Amino acid sequence: MERRQSQRNHMKMTSRVGAVVGTLLLVTLSSAAAFVAPRTNSFRNRVQLHMGVGTTLKRVKDSVLSKERSREDLKIGIAGFYDRSSKLWEDVWGEHMHHGYYVPVDRTDHQQAQVDLIDEVLKWAHVGEDDAIKPKTVVDVGCGIGGSSRHMARKYGSETRGITLSPYQAGRGNELAKEQGLSSDLVSFQVADALDMPFDSNSFDLVWSLESGEHMPDKPTFVQELLRVAVPGTGRIILVTWCHRDLEEGETCLTPKEEKLLAKINRAYYLPKWCSVNDYVELLEKNGAENIERDDWSHIIAPFWKAVIRSSLNFKSVLGLLKSGFSTQRGAYAMFLMLRGFNKGLIKFGLITCTKKAE
């Protein structure tokens, strides 16, 4: 209980710091934009500046007011968002594009915390508890630049395949694997859709999805694909994803205020409608999954938000954000909306694991 209270206090402090940082970040970006703009009285440059401001305002309006995106728009938007933002993330945080494991809550070795999250999730899901159940084949669904894939390939010696919608991420993942001495036979990455994976059925001992499920516009198809490519009987699925809270007894939907907040986040991060952990469990049960387990690690990853905010308070991060374009800047600002939902108990960091039914 004391640990959880401490973590809640961290979350509240992070929210307050976040509001200040968000304001400073917007001011800094505006000042930087003014600094780098050509200081000239020529008519041509004034017209270009006016057009640039007009375009930016249009994109801001679109991010706030536009309706929910179509599946194809989401697919294109996700690829573009990560093509533009992944280098900045790697420059600041390294190869792991996910949260960290904060036990104890005051740890400051943030990149190791990211690695520990992978290992602790694997341990929680009973993966590799003995040599007989170490996965020989792994697919990383929504792999980022491949940090988890390469880690598991080294940890288990497993043939690991990663898929992403981002050409930049797939290319960078393969570059890093080569730099780290991992052959393409052992680890490789490609551009592919998680809702239509280019793999044979019954192919993988471990199907791994870490912080990518929230991007899936068709959750039933996503769950079906995760199960399809798993080996019958022993194939394990691990799904770690952002969800909204489970509905209380008697509720049929979230409150209008909660829906409005999530809709704003969706515009920034190219997300479809959210679902709950309970929704995922019901989908897995419907598709015959066995040995289903779930957990809520929201309190365990909470300090990572504070670390991300602190990392933005340096010249390198601000300059990188300025260069990365509007969608990345919008995503950085939306982080504070995520914090708001997180602190209100609306947004949850859910863990789900199960095995595929034997044929």
Side-chain angles (χ1 to χ4, degrees), residues 6-19 21 89 92-93 99-100 102 105-108 110 242 298-314 335-336 338-339 342-343:
S6 175
Q7 288 162 333
R8 290 191 189 100
N9 290 338
H10 270 272
M11 290 161 61
K12 290 178 181 177
M13 177 62 72
T14 298
S15 183
R16 290 193 290 268
V17 173
V21 173
W89 180 272
V92 177
W93 282 97
H99 287 70
Y102 286 86
V105 68
D106 58 350
R107 67 184 300 180
T108 57
H110 303 298
W242 290 100
S298 301
H299 60 289
I300 289 177
I301 58 87
F304 189 76
W305 291 102
K306 190 174 182 179
V308 170
I309 288 172
R310 282 178 173 168
S311 76
S312 70
L313 297 176
N314 62 70
M335 178 179 67
F336 304 114
M338 286 283 289
L339 271 172
F342 194 62
N343 289 338

Side-chain angles (χ1 to χ4, degrees), residues 70-327:
S70 68
R71 176 168 168 176
E72 189 59 29
D73 286 342
L74 284 170
K75 194 172 177 179
I76 294 169
I78 292 165
F81 178 79
Y82 285 110
D83 280 346
R84 290 185 290 271
S85 64
S86 295
K87 184 179 186 302
L88 175 60
W89 180 272
E90 184 185 358
D91 287 346
V92 177
W93 282 97
E95 63 180 323
H96 295 286
M97 301 184 69
H98 57 80
H99 287 70
Y101 182 83
Y102 286 86
V103 177
V105 68
D106 58 350
R107 67 184 300 180
T108 57
D109 51 339
H110 303 298
Q111 291 192 16
Q112 183 59 46
Q114 291 175 293
V115 176
D116 289 349
L117 181 74
I118 302 170
D119 289 332
E120 293 297 330
V121 169
L122 290 166
K123 185 189 301 183
W124 172 83
H126 320 295
V127 176
E129 291 180 334
D130 57 58
D131 290 339
I133 56 175
K134 286 182 179 178
K136 296 181 176 61
T137 53
V138 176
V139 60
D140 187 349
V141 182
C143 60
I145 58 174
S148 296
S149 299
R150 290 184 296 273
H151 181 76
M152 288 185 286
R154 287 188 292 264
K155 183 181 182 75
Y156 300 123
S158 54
E159 293 182 10
T160 305
R161 302 292 174 256
I163 62 170
T164 172
L165 290 174
S166 164
Y168 175 86
Q169 288 186 337
R172 183 59 180 150
N174 286 319
E175 285 179 359
L176 288 169
K178 185 176 180 181
E179 290 174 9
Q180 295 172 17
L182 300 170
S183 72
S184 58
D185 290 335
L186 186 65
V187 186
S188 65
F189 304 94
Q190 66 188 95
V191 175
D193 189 344
L195 302 181
D196 185 21
M197 288 191 266
F199 306 118
D200 292 336
S201 299
N202 310 327
S203 297
F204 297 100
D205 298 319
L206 176 59
V207 180
W208 171 270
S209 175
L210 177 58
E211 295 187 44
S212 65
E214 51 271 17
H215 281 297
M216 308 302 167
D218 184 343
K219 299 297 194 293
T221 298
F222 176 50
V223 168
Q224 289 164 9
E225 277 293 276
L226 295 179
L227 286 164
R228 180 185 68 80
V229 299
V231 172
T234 58
R236 178 166 292 280
I237 292 92
I238 299 177
L239 176 58
V240 181
T241 184
W242 290 100
C243 293
H244 68 62
R245 63 175 178 82
D246 287 341
L247 297 180
E248 300 290 341
E249 186 175 351
E251 283 187 312
T252 59
C253 61
L254 297 173
T255 68
K257 284 186 178 181
E258 289 174 328
E259 293 282 13
K260 186 176 180 179
L261 177 57
L262 293 181
K264 290 180 180 179
I265 294 169
N266 292 351
R267 294 303 303 174
Y269 289 134
Y270 295 91
L271 301 178
K273 285 191 173 182
W274 293 52
C275 72
S276 67
V277 172
N278 193 55
D279 291 330
Y280 272 120
V281 170
E282 290 180 356
L283 285 170
L284 289 165
E285 290 174 341
K286 182 179 178 180
N287 285 275
E290 298 181 331
N291 305 308
I292 301 172
E293 299 178 53
R294 59 174 288 177
D295 206 348
D296 178 1
W297 280 18
S298 301
H299 60 289
I300 289 177
I301 58 87
F304 189 76
W305 291 102
K306 190 174 182 179
V308 170
I309 288 172
R310 282 178 173 168
S311 76
S312 70
L313 297 176
N314 62 70
F315 180 77
K316 179 181 178 182
S317 296
V318 172
L319 183 61
L321 188 61
L322 181 63
K323 291 178 178 178
S324 64
F326 175 77
S327 64

Side-chain angles (χ1 to χ4, degrees), residues 37-52:
R39 296 196 177 191
T40 174
N41 291 323
S42 73
F43 175 76
R44 180 180 178 184
N45 283 331
R46 290 202 303 272
V47 170
Q48 288 176 336
L49 180 61
H50 176 75
M51 291 174 65

